[in-house]
Amino acid sequence: MNARILPYVLILPVTLFLGVFFLYPFVLVAQQAFSTGDGFTLDNFRDVVSYWKFPISLKNTLLLAALVVPLQLALSLLMATMVSRMHRGRDMVLYIWTIPLGISDLAAGIIWLAIFEQSGFLNSMMSGLGVIDRPMNLLSYQHPGIVFLAIALAEIWRATAIMLVILVAGIGLIPKEYYEAAEVFGASRWKQFLRITLPMLRPSLQTALILRVVLAFEVFAVVAALGGTLFPVLMGEIYSYQFDLQNNGAAAALALIVLAISIFFTLIILRVLRVPKGASI
Amino acid sequence: MTDSVAIAAPAGSTRKAGRYVYAASVFLLCAWVIVPLYFLFINTLSSPETVNSFPKSFVPEFDLGSLTFFAGFNGMLTALKNSILVAGMTMVLSIVIGAPAGYALSRFDFRGKELFRMLVLLTRAFPLPLLALPLAVLFIRTGLDDTAFGLALVHTTLAIPFAVLITFSLFSGIPIELEEAAWTLGCTRFTAFTKVVLPLILPGITASAIFAFVISWNEVFAAAVLTIENRTLPAFLLQTLGEAPLHLKFAGGFILVLPALIFIFAVRKYLFAMWGIANR
């Protein structure tokens, strides 16, 4: 086949598929959000925003992302630099650290439930140490801080691995000569990290952060497993609009709000970590 | 390099201390990943009574009570079967549809290449409900609602960006000269591909297929919104979260985790190569 047409033939299936199952549904959801049956309206948005749970779930979602993502960034940077200096046992350590990559948010929620539930391992440890004499119901409305902490820990535990993989791959692409030169000039490890690793890692940092931030706004099953209704988040509200209340318009409107927030933060990350043209390795 | 520096350094004792701190941190971070998994493992291999009792023992009793309860719970095995079915279809669909595009991206320069790359990447940066909500309506119209195939189509949409980018980086790793040599020896573009490139790339393709499997296996939201009768395991567990007894949740969580452990082990060699090039 002609080499001019061939690439288009090869990308045709993906394009068609994404057209039907990505772009078309996107148009549909926008339509749904802006109509209640008769013409263009903002009623759905008004309903969703004025519902008493909206400010709380928006606040919870943003707060969780604001706590979890920076911690994950720091943790994955630390782990990635540790791994890059490792000689023995590198593969083993990397495998262990990337295990959570394959674990779903629901499973992670259940795993941390084993620790935080009333007869769970945290209570067992605390009573073993004599801190408490009766198991406490940690995941209850009396302890909103602990519910938040449990959800944050489960998220950090589960989703740091994806950032780690992206950063380790990025560090692997940095030429060794840079570090050797820095060594010759007597730059400390910390200086090397600040002056070589961080700037050269910018494209990977960008990908990792965008992926994580977008996923942080989609937090859902971890919360369902650990907090239930104690900790409303945006995705959970979309689910209950769609599923419990059967209000498609409201669900669509809220989904668009989540999308707008995601795009807003994606643009910020792209701007802050922009890679100068032609500067990549 | 590290060792020679360490020996040459005058402050040898601080270096040594530094190395202990380093080893301890590696150990702690490994424990941070493994210990919660171990707790789930203890709960799964304990009798339902032990799971609900207090205080917890930190060794498993190797009682299959929780797992048998899970297997006997109404609808659980069907949900497990649905999960495997949907994930299997997602795996096949995303590779069959995605790999040709990955090949095109790595071998050809064509107009609209950047636009196409953008479209693929955008898919990943979008929140999922945007797809699941309207597709529910669309599927009801076309009769695809509440079917494993319908759900597999949605999961394929999720997995395809990864399939395209991963196969793109795999194909880029094979020098085009190999193909050109095959052409001069009388192969057509197609036979050069099947005889030279495909055997080299097959393990990598398998790895990315496994990746697609894991994406589908783990997905909850779309599965919960799009299916009612034919629920996957995560969707079924989510639905029963409120009222299910603890030992059922833990056994379910364990079944969800188990294949993930094996799969990540199987693809560990490819994980980093995939992301290295896929990022640029």
PDB file of all heavy atoms in Angstrom, chain A residues 8 14 25 29 82 95-96 102 104 117 119 124 157 165 215 218 243, chain B residues 22 32-33 56 97 111 124 127 130 134 218 224 231 246 260-261 275:
ATOM      1  N   TYR A   8      -2.593   6.816   7.637  1.00  0.00           N
ATOM      2  CA  TYR A   8      -3.981   7.199   7.932  1.00  0.00           C
ATOM      3  C   TYR A   8      -4.868   5.975   8.104  1.00  0.00           C
ATOM      4  O   TYR A   8      -5.762   5.957   8.940  1.00  0.00           O
ATOM      5  CB  TYR A   8      -4.520   8.127   6.829  1.00  0.00           C
ATOM      6  CG  TYR A   8      -3.784   9.441   6.784  1.00  0.00           C
ATOM      7  CD1 TYR A   8      -2.847   9.699   5.795  1.00  0.00           C
ATOM      8  CD2 TYR A   8      -4.005  10.411   7.767  1.00  0.00           C
ATOM      9  CE1 TYR A   8      -2.145  10.892   5.780  1.00  0.00           C
ATOM     10  CE2 TYR A   8      -3.305  11.608   7.756  1.00  0.00           C
ATOM     11  CZ  TYR A   8      -2.382  11.846   6.766  1.00  0.00           C
ATOM     12  OH  TYR A   8      -1.688  13.023   6.760  1.00  0.00           O
ATOM     13  N   VAL A  14      -8.415   3.846  15.701  1.00  0.00           N
ATOM     14  CA  VAL A  14      -8.394   4.602  16.957  1.00  0.00           C
ATOM     15  C   VAL A  14      -9.223   5.876  16.820  1.00  0.00           C
ATOM     16  O   VAL A  14     -10.003   6.223  17.711  1.00  0.00           O
ATOM     17  CB  VAL A  14      -6.954   4.972  17.368  1.00  0.00           C
ATOM     18  CG1 VAL A  14      -6.949   5.874  18.580  1.00  0.00           C
ATOM     19  CG2 VAL A  14      -6.158   3.728  17.662  1.00  0.00           C
ATOM     20  N   PRO A  25     -19.821  11.131  23.060  1.00  0.00           N
ATOM     21  CA  PRO A  25     -20.399  11.217  24.406  1.00  0.00           C
ATOM     22  C   PRO A  25     -20.138  12.565  25.070  1.00  0.00           C
ATOM     23  O   PRO A  25     -20.965  13.043  25.843  1.00  0.00           O
ATOM     24  CB  PRO A  25     -19.690  10.107  25.188  1.00  0.00           C
ATOM     25  CG  PRO A  25     -18.867   9.376  24.250  1.00  0.00           C
ATOM     26  CD  PRO A  25     -18.939   9.984  22.910  1.00  0.00           C
ATOM     27  N   VAL A  29     -23.003  14.760  26.713  1.00  0.00           N
ATOM     28  CA  VAL A  29     -23.054  15.150  28.117  1.00  0.00           C
ATOM     29  C   VAL A  29     -23.199  16.665  28.238  1.00  0.00           C
ATOM     30  O   VAL A  29     -23.892  17.172  29.132  1.00  0.00           O
ATOM     31  CB  VAL A  29     -21.825  14.613  28.897  1.00  0.00           C
ATOM     32  CG1 VAL A  29     -20.651  15.560  28.835  1.00  0.00           C
ATOM     33  CG2 VAL A  29     -22.184  14.346  30.335  1.00  0.00           C
ATOM     34  N   MET A  82      16.369   7.715  45.172  1.00  0.00           N
ATOM     35  CA  MET A  82      16.953   6.599  45.920  1.00  0.00           C
ATOM     36  C   MET A  82      17.232   5.428  44.992  1.00  0.00           C
ATOM     37  O   MET A  82      18.302   4.831  45.007  1.00  0.00           O
ATOM     38  CB  MET A  82      15.997   6.143  47.032  1.00  0.00           C
ATOM     39  CG  MET A  82      16.007   7.023  48.262  1.00  0.00           C
ATOM     40  SD  MET A  82      14.686   6.558  49.367  1.00  0.00           S
ATOM     41  CE  MET A  82      15.596   5.867  50.682  1.00  0.00           C
ATOM     42  N   TYR A  95      10.053  -3.348  42.243  1.00  0.00           N
ATOM     43  CA  TYR A  95       8.822  -4.133  42.128  1.00  0.00           C
ATOM     44  C   TYR A  95       7.912  -3.875  43.325  1.00  0.00           C
ATOM     45  O   TYR A  95       6.719  -3.626  43.173  1.00  0.00           O
ATOM     46  CB  TYR A  95       9.122  -5.631  42.007  1.00  0.00           C
ATOM     47  CG  TYR A  95       7.883  -6.479  42.156  1.00  0.00           C
ATOM     48  CD1 TYR A  95       6.830  -6.354  41.244  1.00  0.00           C
ATOM     49  CD2 TYR A  95       7.725  -7.361  43.218  1.00  0.00           C
ATOM     50  CE1 TYR A  95       5.674  -7.081  41.380  1.00  0.00           C
ATOM     51  CE2 TYR A  95       6.571  -8.096  43.364  1.00  0.00           C
ATOM     52  CZ  TYR A  95       5.543  -7.959  42.444  1.00  0.00           C
ATOM     53  OH  TYR A  95       4.388  -8.664  42.596  1.00  0.00           O
ATOM     54  N   ILE A  96       8.507  -3.903  44.512  1.00  0.00           N
ATOM     55  CA  ILE A  96       7.695  -3.687  45.719  1.00  0.00           C
ATOM     56  C   ILE A  96       7.044  -2.298  45.687  1.00  0.00           C
ATOM     57  O   ILE A  96       5.850  -2.150  45.935  1.00  0.00           O
ATOM     58  CB  ILE A  96       8.554  -3.842  46.992  1.00  0.00           C
ATOM     59  CG1 ILE A  96       8.982  -5.299  47.139  1.00  0.00           C
ATOM     60  CG2 ILE A  96       7.793  -3.387  48.230  1.00  0.00           C
ATOM     61  CD1 ILE A  96       9.911  -5.558  48.282  1.00  0.00           C
ATOM     62  N   GLY A 102      -0.977  -1.627  40.405  1.00  0.00           N
ATOM     63  CA  GLY A 102      -1.984  -2.544  39.892  1.00  0.00           C
ATOM     64  C   GLY A 102      -3.202  -2.645  40.793  1.00  0.00           C
ATOM     65  O   GLY A 102      -4.130  -3.392  40.504  1.00  0.00           O
ATOM     66  N   SER A 104      -6.532  -1.329  42.621  1.00  0.00           N
ATOM     67  CA  SER A 104      -7.570  -0.340  42.334  1.00  0.00           C
ATOM     68  C   SER A 104      -7.868   0.517  43.552  1.00  0.00           C
ATOM     69  O   SER A 104      -7.502   0.175  44.679  1.00  0.00           O
ATOM     70  CB  SER A 104      -8.845  -1.052  41.895  1.00  0.00           C
ATOM     71  OG  SER A 104      -9.337  -1.814  42.953  1.00  0.00           O
ATOM     72  N   GLU A 117     -10.911   0.188  60.612  1.00  0.00           N
ATOM     73  CA  GLU A 117     -12.249  -0.145  61.132  1.00  0.00           C
ATOM     74  C   GLU A 117     -12.178  -0.456  62.627  1.00  0.00           C
ATOM     75  O   GLU A 117     -11.094  -0.607  63.175  1.00  0.00           O
ATOM     76  CB  GLU A 117     -12.878  -1.294  60.322  1.00  0.00           C
ATOM     77  CG  GLU A 117     -11.972  -2.473  60.072  1.00  0.00           C
ATOM     78  CD  GLU A 117     -12.341  -3.681  60.876  1.00  0.00           C
ATOM     79  OE1 GLU A 117     -13.336  -3.635  61.613  1.00  0.00           O
ATOM     80  OE2 GLU A 117     -11.610  -4.676  60.781  1.00  0.00           O
ATOM     81  N   SER A 119     -12.730  -2.963  64.678  1.00  0.00           N
ATOM     82  CA  SER A 119     -11.951  -4.079  65.213  1.00  0.00           C
ATOM     83  C   SER A 119     -10.674  -4.264  64.400  1.00  0.00           C
ATOM     84  O   SER A 119     -10.125  -5.352  64.320  1.00  0.00           O
ATOM     85  CB  SER A 119     -12.786  -5.359  65.207  1.00  0.00           C
ATOM     86  OG  SER A 119     -13.198  -5.647  63.885  1.00  0.00           O
ATOM     87  N   SER A 124      -6.182  -2.499  67.329  1.00  0.00           N
ATOM     88  CA  SER A 124      -5.489  -3.613  67.990  1.00  0.00           C
ATOM     89  C   SER A 124      -4.126  -3.181  68.482  1.00  0.00           C
ATOM     90  O   SER A 124      -3.721  -3.502  69.606  1.00  0.00           O
ATOM     91  CB  SER A 124      -5.329  -4.782  67.013  1.00  0.00           C
ATOM     92  OG  SER A 124      -6.574  -5.245  66.605  1.00  0.00           O
ATOM     93  N   TRP A 157      -0.895   5.950  49.578  1.00  0.00           N
ATOM     94  CA  TRP A 157      -0.376   4.582  49.479  1.00  0.00           C
ATOM     95  C   TRP A 157      -0.563   4.036  48.065  1.00  0.00           C
ATOM     96  O   TRP A 157       0.335   3.433  47.492  1.00  0.00           O
ATOM     97  CB  TRP A 157      -1.125   3.689  50.479  1.00  0.00           C
ATOM     98  CG  TRP A 157      -0.656   2.269  50.486  1.00  0.00           C
ATOM     99  CD1 TRP A 157       0.427   1.774  51.148  1.00  0.00           C
ATOM    100  CD2 TRP A 157      -1.258   1.162  49.813  1.00  0.00           C
ATOM    101  NE1 TRP A 157       0.533   0.439  50.913  1.00  0.00           N
ATOM    102  CE2 TRP A 157      -0.483   0.037  50.104  1.00  0.00           C
ATOM    103  CE3 TRP A 157      -2.373   1.021  48.991  1.00  0.00           C
ATOM    104  CZ2 TRP A 157      -0.784  -1.227  49.609  1.00  0.00           C
ATOM    105  CZ3 TRP A 157      -2.672  -0.231  48.484  1.00  0.00           C
ATOM    106  CH2 TRP A 157      -1.889  -1.345  48.800  1.00  0.00           C
ATOM    107  N   VAL A 165       6.871   5.635  38.752  1.00  0.00           N
ATOM    108  CA  VAL A 165       7.235   5.009  37.480  1.00  0.00           C
ATOM    109  C   VAL A 165       7.603   6.071  36.446  1.00  0.00           C
ATOM    110  O   VAL A 165       8.626   5.974  35.764  1.00  0.00           O
ATOM    111  CB  VAL A 165       6.077   4.130  36.967  1.00  0.00           C
ATOM    112  CG1 VAL A 165       6.321   3.708  35.527  1.00  0.00           C
ATOM    113  CG2 VAL A 165       5.919   2.918  37.848  1.00  0.00           C
ATOM    114  N   LEU A 215      -6.617  12.665  38.287  1.00  0.00           N
ATOM    115  CA  LEU A 215      -7.136  11.500  38.998  1.00  0.00           C
ATOM    116  C   LEU A 215      -7.545  11.850  40.425  1.00  0.00           C
ATOM    117  O   LEU A 215      -8.451  11.240  40.979  1.00  0.00           O
ATOM    118  CB  LEU A 215      -6.101  10.381  39.010  1.00  0.00           C
ATOM    119  CG  LEU A 215      -5.860   9.710  37.660  1.00  0.00           C
ATOM    120  CD1 LEU A 215      -4.788   8.640  37.785  1.00  0.00           C
ATOM    121  CD2 LEU A 215      -7.146   9.107  37.118  1.00  0.00           C
ATOM    122  N   GLU A 218     -10.953  12.829  40.615  1.00  0.00           N
ATOM    123  CA  GLU A 218     -11.873  11.719  40.361  1.00  0.00           C
ATOM    124  C   GLU A 218     -11.952  10.760  41.541  1.00  0.00           C
ATOM    125  O   GLU A 218     -12.466   9.656  41.417  1.00  0.00           O
ATOM    126  CB  GLU A 218     -11.420  10.935  39.119  1.00  0.00           C
ATOM    127  CG  GLU A 218     -11.598  11.696  37.833  1.00  0.00           C
ATOM    128  CD  GLU A 218     -11.148  10.874  36.636  1.00  0.00           C
ATOM    129  OE1 GLU A 218     -11.465   9.677  36.588  1.00  0.00           O
ATOM    130  OE2 GLU A 218     -10.471  11.432  35.766  1.00  0.00           O
ATOM    131  N   PHE A 243     -27.304   7.741  39.804  1.00  0.00           N
ATOM    132  CA  PHE A 243     -27.757   6.407  40.146  1.00  0.00           C
ATOM    133  C   PHE A 243     -28.913   6.402  41.131  1.00  0.00           C
ATOM    134  O   PHE A 243     -29.925   5.757  40.902  1.00  0.00           O
ATOM    135  CB  PHE A 243     -26.579   5.612  40.724  1.00  0.00           C
ATOM    136  CG  PHE A 243     -26.687   4.167  40.417  1.00  0.00           C
ATOM    137  CD1 PHE A 243     -26.360   3.693  39.155  1.00  0.00           C
ATOM    138  CD2 PHE A 243     -27.139   3.278  41.378  1.00  0.00           C
ATOM    139  CE1 PHE A 243     -26.490   2.364  38.852  1.00  0.00           C
ATOM    140  CE2 PHE A 243     -27.272   1.940  41.076  1.00  0.00           C
ATOM    141  CZ  PHE A 243     -26.947   1.482  39.810  1.00  0.00           C
TER     142      PHE A 243
ATOM    143  N   TYR B  22      20.022   5.667  54.670  1.00  0.00           N
ATOM    144  CA  TYR B  22      19.530   5.333  53.336  1.00  0.00           C
ATOM    145  C   TYR B  22      18.890   3.936  53.325  1.00  0.00           C
ATOM    146  O   TYR B  22      17.758   3.765  52.888  1.00  0.00           O
ATOM    147  CB  TYR B  22      20.706   5.403  52.366  1.00  0.00           C
ATOM    148  CG  TYR B  22      20.423   4.948  50.970  1.00  0.00           C
ATOM    149  CD1 TYR B  22      19.817   5.808  50.054  1.00  0.00           C
ATOM    150  CD2 TYR B  22      20.787   3.674  50.546  1.00  0.00           C
ATOM    151  CE1 TYR B  22      19.580   5.411  48.761  1.00  0.00           C
ATOM    152  CE2 TYR B  22      20.547   3.263  49.255  1.00  0.00           C
ATOM    153  CZ  TYR B  22      19.945   4.130  48.364  1.00  0.00           C
ATOM    154  OH  TYR B  22      19.706   3.721  47.089  1.00  0.00           O
ATOM    155  N   TRP B  32       6.068   0.189  54.158  1.00  0.00           N
ATOM    156  CA  TRP B  32       4.892   1.054  53.960  1.00  0.00           C
ATOM    157  C   TRP B  32       3.989   0.483  52.868  1.00  0.00           C
ATOM    158  O   TRP B  32       2.769   0.552  52.954  1.00  0.00           O
ATOM    159  CB  TRP B  32       5.380   2.462  53.655  1.00  0.00           C
ATOM    160  CG  TRP B  32       4.520   3.355  52.828  1.00  0.00           C
ATOM    161  CD1 TRP B  32       4.738   3.702  51.534  1.00  0.00           C
ATOM    162  CD2 TRP B  32       3.313   4.035  53.220  1.00  0.00           C
ATOM    163  NE1 TRP B  32       3.749   4.551  51.102  1.00  0.00           N
ATOM    164  CE2 TRP B  32       2.868   4.774  52.115  1.00  0.00           C
ATOM    165  CE3 TRP B  32       2.577   4.080  54.401  1.00  0.00           C
ATOM    166  CZ2 TRP B  32       1.720   5.544  52.138  1.00  0.00           C
ATOM    167  CZ3 TRP B  32       1.428   4.856  54.433  1.00  0.00           C
ATOM    168  CH2 TRP B  32       1.010   5.577  53.316  1.00  0.00           C
ATOM    169  N   VAL B  33       4.580  -0.124  51.835  1.00  0.00           N
ATOM    170  CA  VAL B  33       3.776  -0.719  50.772  1.00  0.00           C
ATOM    171  C   VAL B  33       3.238  -2.080  51.188  1.00  0.00           C
ATOM    172  O   VAL B  33       2.072  -2.403  50.961  1.00  0.00           O
ATOM    173  CB  VAL B  33       4.603  -0.848  49.469  1.00  0.00           C
ATOM    174  CG1 VAL B  33       3.834  -1.640  48.427  1.00  0.00           C
ATOM    175  CG2 VAL B  33       4.959   0.520  48.927  1.00  0.00           C
ATOM    176  N   LYS B  56      -7.042  -7.905  67.090  1.00  0.00           N
ATOM    177  CA  LYS B  56      -6.604  -8.691  65.941  1.00  0.00           C
ATOM    178  C   LYS B  56      -5.265  -9.364  66.234  1.00  0.00           C
ATOM    179  O   LYS B  56      -4.393  -8.785  66.862  1.00  0.00           O
ATOM    180  CB  LYS B  56      -6.433  -7.779  64.735  1.00  0.00           C
ATOM    181  CG  LYS B  56      -7.723  -7.423  64.072  1.00  0.00           C
ATOM    182  CD  LYS B  56      -8.007  -8.464  63.031  1.00  0.00           C
ATOM    183  CE  LYS B  56      -9.384  -8.449  62.446  1.00  0.00           C
ATOM    184  NZ  LYS B  56     -10.273  -7.371  62.722  1.00  0.00           N
ATOM    185  N   ILE B  97      -6.968  -2.366  18.179  1.00  0.00           N
ATOM    186  CA  ILE B  97      -7.246  -1.025  17.668  1.00  0.00           C
ATOM    187  C   ILE B  97      -6.055  -0.094  17.875  1.00  0.00           C
ATOM    188  O   ILE B  97      -5.741   0.737  17.031  1.00  0.00           O
ATOM    189  CB  ILE B  97      -8.505  -0.442  18.356  1.00  0.00           C
ATOM    190  CG1 ILE B  97      -9.707  -1.323  18.040  1.00  0.00           C
ATOM    191  CG2 ILE B  97      -8.768   0.978  17.897  1.00  0.00           C
ATOM    192  CD1 ILE B  97     -10.959  -0.932  18.779  1.00  0.00           C
ATOM    193  N   ARG B 111       0.777  14.378   8.009  1.00  0.00           N
ATOM    194  CA  ARG B 111       0.070  15.589   8.435  1.00  0.00           C
ATOM    195  C   ARG B 111      -1.007  15.224   9.447  1.00  0.00           C
ATOM    196  O   ARG B 111      -1.694  14.226   9.309  1.00  0.00           O
ATOM    197  CB  ARG B 111      -0.563  16.277   7.226  1.00  0.00           C
ATOM    198  CG  ARG B 111       0.446  17.106   6.435  1.00  0.00           C
ATOM    199  CD  ARG B 111      -0.245  17.866   5.342  1.00  0.00           C
ATOM    200  NE  ARG B 111      -1.193  18.832   5.900  1.00  0.00           N
ATOM    201  CZ  ARG B 111      -1.756  19.799   5.178  1.00  0.00           C
ATOM    202  NH1 ARG B 111      -1.496  19.913   3.907  1.00  0.00           N
ATOM    203  NH2 ARG B 111      -2.606  20.638   5.730  1.00  0.00           N
ATOM    204  N   ARG B 124      -6.964  10.770  28.203  1.00  0.00           N
ATOM    205  CA  ARG B 124      -6.530  10.401  29.543  1.00  0.00           C
ATOM    206  C   ARG B 124      -6.739  11.543  30.543  1.00  0.00           C
ATOM    207  O   ARG B 124      -6.898  11.322  31.732  1.00  0.00           O
ATOM    208  CB  ARG B 124      -5.063   9.987  29.497  1.00  0.00           C
ATOM    209  CG  ARG B 124      -4.614   9.175  30.672  1.00  0.00           C
ATOM    210  CD  ARG B 124      -5.560   8.031  30.960  1.00  0.00           C
ATOM    211  NE  ARG B 124      -5.817   7.921  32.390  1.00  0.00           N
ATOM    212  CZ  ARG B 124      -7.029   7.832  32.924  1.00  0.00           C
ATOM    213  NH1 ARG B 124      -8.081   7.860  32.163  1.00  0.00           N
ATOM    214  NH2 ARG B 124      -7.195   7.711  34.207  1.00  0.00           N
ATOM    215  N   PRO B 127     -12.008  13.557  32.931  1.00  0.00           N
ATOM    216  CA  PRO B 127     -12.656  12.750  33.962  1.00  0.00           C
ATOM    217  C   PRO B 127     -13.609  11.736  33.339  1.00  0.00           C
ATOM    218  O   PRO B 127     -14.326  12.048  32.392  1.00  0.00           O
ATOM    219  CB  PRO B 127     -13.432  13.768  34.788  1.00  0.00           C
ATOM    220  CG  PRO B 127     -12.877  15.083  34.420  1.00  0.00           C
ATOM    221  CD  PRO B 127     -12.365  14.966  33.035  1.00  0.00           C
ATOM    222  N   LEU B 130     -17.710  11.763  32.318  1.00  0.00           N
ATOM    223  CA  LEU B 130     -18.137  12.368  31.067  1.00  0.00           C
ATOM    224  C   LEU B 130     -18.427  11.314  30.013  1.00  0.00           C
ATOM    225  O   LEU B 130     -19.235  11.528  29.124  1.00  0.00           O
ATOM    226  CB  LEU B 130     -17.051  13.298  30.560  1.00  0.00           C
ATOM    227  CG  LEU B 130     -17.015  14.622  31.299  1.00  0.00           C
ATOM    228  CD1 LEU B 130     -15.773  15.381  30.967  1.00  0.00           C
ATOM    229  CD2 LEU B 130     -18.246  15.427  30.940  1.00  0.00           C
ATOM    230  N   PRO B 134     -23.229   9.795  29.425  1.00  0.00           N
ATOM    231  CA  PRO B 134     -23.995   9.801  28.167  1.00  0.00           C
ATOM    232  C   PRO B 134     -24.016   8.435  27.497  1.00  0.00           C
ATOM    233  O   PRO B 134     -24.986   8.103  26.814  1.00  0.00           O
ATOM    234  CB  PRO B 134     -23.241  10.805  27.302  1.00  0.00           C
ATOM    235  CG  PRO B 134     -21.880  10.855  27.866  1.00  0.00           C
ATOM    236  CD  PRO B 134     -22.019  10.591  29.333  1.00  0.00           C
ATOM    237  N   ASN B 218      -9.718  -2.930  37.329  1.00  0.00           N
ATOM    238  CA  ASN B 218      -9.790  -2.037  38.479  1.00  0.00           C
ATOM    239  C   ASN B 218     -10.879  -0.987  38.392  1.00  0.00           C
ATOM    240  O   ASN B 218     -11.157  -0.313  39.369  1.00  0.00           O
ATOM    241  CB  ASN B 218      -8.446  -1.325  38.639  1.00  0.00           C
ATOM    242  CG  ASN B 218      -7.393  -2.225  39.240  1.00  0.00           C
ATOM    243  OD1 ASN B 218      -7.718  -3.207  39.890  1.00  0.00           O
ATOM    244  ND2 ASN B 218      -6.144  -1.909  39.009  1.00  0.00           N
ATOM    245  N   ALA B 224     -20.112   0.643  37.539  1.00  0.00           N
ATOM    246  CA  ALA B 224     -21.259   0.788  38.428  1.00  0.00           C
ATOM    247  C   ALA B 224     -22.399   1.545  37.764  1.00  0.00           C
ATOM    248  O   ALA B 224     -23.577   1.258  37.992  1.00  0.00           O
ATOM    249  CB  ALA B 224     -20.828   1.500  39.714  1.00  0.00           C
ATOM    250  N   ARG B 231     -22.913  -6.953  36.651  1.00  0.00           N
ATOM    251  CA  ARG B 231     -21.918  -6.152  37.337  1.00  0.00           C
ATOM    252  C   ARG B 231     -20.561  -6.846  37.352  1.00  0.00           C
ATOM    253  O   ARG B 231     -20.473  -8.062  37.441  1.00  0.00           O
ATOM    254  CB  ARG B 231     -22.357  -5.922  38.783  1.00  0.00           C
ATOM    255  CG  ARG B 231     -23.648  -5.180  38.888  1.00  0.00           C
ATOM    256  CD  ARG B 231     -23.538  -4.116  39.892  1.00  0.00           C
ATOM    257  NE  ARG B 231     -23.883  -2.858  39.274  1.00  0.00           N
ATOM    258  CZ  ARG B 231     -24.251  -1.789  39.974  1.00  0.00           C
ATOM    259  NH1 ARG B 231     -24.271  -1.825  41.266  1.00  0.00           N
ATOM    260  NH2 ARG B 231     -24.564  -0.680  39.364  1.00  0.00           N
ATOM    261  N   LEU B 246     -17.948  -7.508  57.104  1.00  0.00           N
ATOM    262  CA  LEU B 246     -16.532  -7.187  56.902  1.00  0.00           C
ATOM    263  C   LEU B 246     -15.766  -8.264  56.156  1.00  0.00           C
ATOM    264  O   LEU B 246     -15.001  -7.980  55.238  1.00  0.00           O
ATOM    265  CB  LEU B 246     -15.873  -6.960  58.267  1.00  0.00           C
ATOM    266  CG  LEU B 246     -16.069  -5.578  58.887  1.00  0.00           C
ATOM    267  CD1 LEU B 246     -15.501  -5.570  60.296  1.00  0.00           C
ATOM    268  CD2 LEU B 246     -15.403  -4.514  58.033  1.00  0.00           C
ATOM    269  N   ALA B 260      -3.518  -8.312  40.284  1.00  0.00           N
ATOM    270  CA  ALA B 260      -2.696  -7.115  40.125  1.00  0.00           C
ATOM    271  C   ALA B 260      -1.249  -7.398  40.507  1.00  0.00           C
ATOM    272  O   ALA B 260      -0.316  -6.985  39.819  1.00  0.00           O
ATOM    273  CB  ALA B 260      -3.264  -5.981  40.963  1.00  0.00           C
ATOM    274  N   LEU B 261      -1.068  -8.142  41.614  1.00  0.00           N
ATOM    275  CA  LEU B 261       0.282  -8.482  42.064  1.00  0.00           C
ATOM    276  C   LEU B 261       1.030  -9.256  40.993  1.00  0.00           C
ATOM    277  O   LEU B 261       2.185  -8.987  40.686  1.00  0.00           O
ATOM    278  CB  LEU B 261       0.210  -9.341  43.338  1.00  0.00           C
ATOM    279  CG  LEU B 261      -0.219  -8.659  44.606  1.00  0.00           C
ATOM    280  CD1 LEU B 261      -0.157  -9.637  45.768  1.00  0.00           C
ATOM    281  CD2 LEU B 261       0.686  -7.475  44.880  1.00  0.00           C
ATOM    282  N   TRP B 275       7.053   4.241  29.861  1.00  0.00           N
ATOM    283  CA  TRP B 275       6.842   5.636  30.234  1.00  0.00           C
ATOM    284  C   TRP B 275       7.957   6.537  29.745  1.00  0.00           C
ATOM    285  O   TRP B 275       7.746   7.715  29.507  1.00  0.00           O
ATOM    286  CB  TRP B 275       6.671   5.773  31.742  1.00  0.00           C
ATOM    287  CG  TRP B 275       5.313   5.391  32.138  1.00  0.00           C
ATOM    288  CD1 TRP B 275       4.938   4.226  32.714  1.00  0.00           C
ATOM    289  CD2 TRP B 275       4.117   6.153  31.958  1.00  0.00           C
ATOM    290  NE1 TRP B 275       3.583   4.219  32.897  1.00  0.00           N
ATOM    291  CE2 TRP B 275       3.061   5.388  32.450  1.00  0.00           C
ATOM    292  CE3 TRP B 275       3.859   7.405  31.428  1.00  0.00           C
ATOM    293  CZ2 TRP B 275       1.756   5.829  32.419  1.00  0.00           C
ATOM    294  CZ3 TRP B 275       2.555   7.848  31.400  1.00  0.00           C
ATOM    295  CH2 TRP B 275       1.523   7.059  31.894  1.00  0.00           C
TER     296      TRP B 275
END
